[in-house]
Amino acid sequence: MNFNKFIDSPLFYRIIALAFAVLLFAYTNEDNLSSTRNNTDSTMLANASTTMRVALQLEVNSNKYFVTGYPEKVKVKVSGSKAMVTTISNTRNFKIYADLTDLKPGTHEVTLKQSGLSSDLDYTINPAKVKITISNRKTKSFPVQFNYDKQRVGNNYKVGTPTADPDVVSATGASSEISKIAEIVAAVEIPKGTKSTFSRSVLLQALDDKGKILNVVISPQTVDVKIPVYSETTTKKVPVQLVTTGDGDSDKSYTLSSSTETVTLSGTKSDLSGISSYKISVPIDGISSTTTKSVNLASPSNGVTIVQPKSAKVKITVGDSSSSSNESTVSSQSSSSSSSNSGTSSSSAKSSQSESESGSQTSSQSSSSSEDE
């Protein structure tokens, strides 16, 4: 009675409807799940291929032989299941190599081999064969040479002697190639208008006597190059100017003369352009009679770096100086008297002659004395 009443109730029909809905959902999604499983299995089992560029390795006694002519990399096409192809493409845990262990010096055609690929994968190596040359290995040391354009530095600047660190490198290769090496060169590009020393890391090249680059291995491949750049110097010859320094006797006159009439100065063009003479300072302290002194010629502080000669001999001629108030007239009369009585210096004689002609000129020696005083 109660069961019949339950069957007739709305709850019973709701439960029946829910059960049918669950069964219908399960039936419908069973086909989808089966299709997904089939698609996944099909994807994993599908074939795929990929092409990779890998380094070519050599199996050879590298301490004894040097090999040339082979490509650095080769192409490898791998085919098989998509999962395996994807794995090998990502890991690349295989190698392509040329077995040269049983070959002697000479030119050979060698079939390339692989190691590490699964037997379930198909592969193709391109090229399948390579032609290589095996030579006896040789190593030799060479000093680093330099190649650069001196004209790229600034105006009035010059390039000094370049240096390299290290300054000696080794070249390794076939003995026939090593014997062709004329020099190992660091080609340096100097920036235009350079006015100061600069350094640069430079790649080295091995050249033959015609400038052709040779196929050898240089160790190290680069060196640090330093090129000094400095102001260009030149020389200029200028007359000397003799001047007295210090305090001489007040009753004496001093005349300077030297066989060194000019000196040669070295310095930059711009510094030398403003110099027209070179002053030689001659100390007269404590000198009371005619004497000759050797005076060292020092470089002035205005850009001149060298003075030639290093020293000059200067004659200091000492004479008596008049204390009369009319110094010019007395000096002239003394000069004339000295000339007539004892035939003294030529400058006094010239002064006396000049006085007789004009009646007013003083001697050159007295004039010098007046200027010094």
Side-chain angles (χ1 to χ4, degrees), residues 9 26 72 104 209 236 285:
S9 67
E72 291 186 5
K104 301 298 180 182
D209 55 2
K236 182 178 183 180
D285 300 272

Side-chain angles (χ1 to χ4, degrees), residues 47-78:
N47 286 338
S49 65
T50 186
T51 300
M52 297 170 282
R53 285 176 57 85
V54 297
L56 175 60
Q57 301 182 29
L58 303 179
E59 292 191 355
V60 65
N61 184 354
S62 58
N63 293 325
K64 185 177 180 180
Y65 298 117
F66 190 82
V67 183
T68 57
Y70 62 94
E72 291 186 5
K73 292 186 177 182
V74 295
K75 292 182 179 180
V76 181
K77 183 178 181 180
V78 180

Side-chain angles (χ1 to χ4, degrees), residues 71-127:
E72 291 186 5
K73 292 186 177 182
V74 295
K75 292 182 179 180
V76 181
K77 183 178 181 180
V78 180
S79 302
S81 69
K82 187 173 183 179
M84 296 185 68
V85 170
T86 301
T87 301
I88 200 68
S89 177
N90 291 334
T91 61
R92 301 201 177 197
N93 56 350
F94 69 97
K95 69 177 183 178
I96 306 297
Y97 67 96
D99 187 0
L100 313 178
T101 53
D102 296 329
L103 300 180
K104 301 298 180 182
T107 300
H108 309 272
E109 189 174 59
V110 182
T111 300
L112 301 183
K113 301 178 181 180
Q114 68 81 24
S115 175
L117 288 176
S118 171
S119 58
D120 294 331
L121 292 173
D122 296 325
Y123 66 88
T124 302
I125 304 173
N126 184 25

Side-chain angles (χ1 to χ4, degrees), residues 7-45:
I7 293 175
D8 292 335
S9 67
L11 179 61
F12 174 76
Y13 290 107
R14 290 173 182 172
I15 293 173
I16 294 299
L18 178 62
F20 275 111
V22 170
L23 291 174
L24 183 61
F25 176 80
Y27 175 77
T28 302
N29 284 276
E30 181 181 7
D31 292 340
N32 292 336
L33 292 174
S34 176
S35 176
T36 301
R37 285 194 299 269
N38 290 337
N39 289 338
T40 302
D41 293 341
S42 176
T43 299
M44 295 299 292
L45 296 175

Side-chain angles (χ1 to χ4, degrees), residues 99-231:
D99 187 0
L100 313 178
T101 53
D102 296 329
L103 300 180
K104 301 298 180 182
T107 300
H108 309 272
E109 189 174 59
V110 182
T111 300
L112 301 183
K113 301 178 181 180
Q114 68 81 24
S115 175
L117 288 176
S118 171
S119 58
D120 294 331
L121 292 173
D122 296 325
Y123 66 88
T124 302
I125 304 173
N126 184 25
K129 296 181 179 181
V130 294
K131 183 176 289 187
I132 54 92
T133 300
I134 302 176
S135 306
N136 289 319
R137 185 184 186 92
K138 185 178 180 180
T139 299
K140 188 177 179 180
S141 296
F142 294 88
V144 176
Q145 305 296 328
F146 306 94
N147 184 11
Y148 55 90
D149 185 0
K150 296 180 179 180
Q151 304 302 319
R152 293 184 64 82
V153 297
N155 293 334
N156 298 327
Y157 282 82
K158 293 184 70 175
V159 175
T161 302
T163 58
D165 183 22
D167 57 358
V168 176
V169 296
S170 63
T172 301
S175 57
S176 58
E177 289 290 286
I178 296 298
S179 62
K180 295 179 183 178
I181 296 178
E183 58 183 358
I184 302 291
V185 175
V188 185
E189 181 69 21
I190 299 179
K192 188 173 180 61
T194 297
K195 296 182 180 180
S196 61
T197 298
F198 73 99
S199 300
R200 182 162 298 177
S201 181
V202 181
L203 185 67
L204 299 176
Q205 294 178 328
L207 306 180
D208 63 11
D209 55 2
K210 296 182 180 179
K212 179 183 176 182
I213 300 176
L214 299 173
N215 185 17
V216 297
V217 177
I218 303 173
S219 181
Q221 292 183 325
T222 61
V223 294
D224 294 325
V225 176
K226 181 178 181 181
I227 299 182
V229 178
Y230 55 89
S231 297

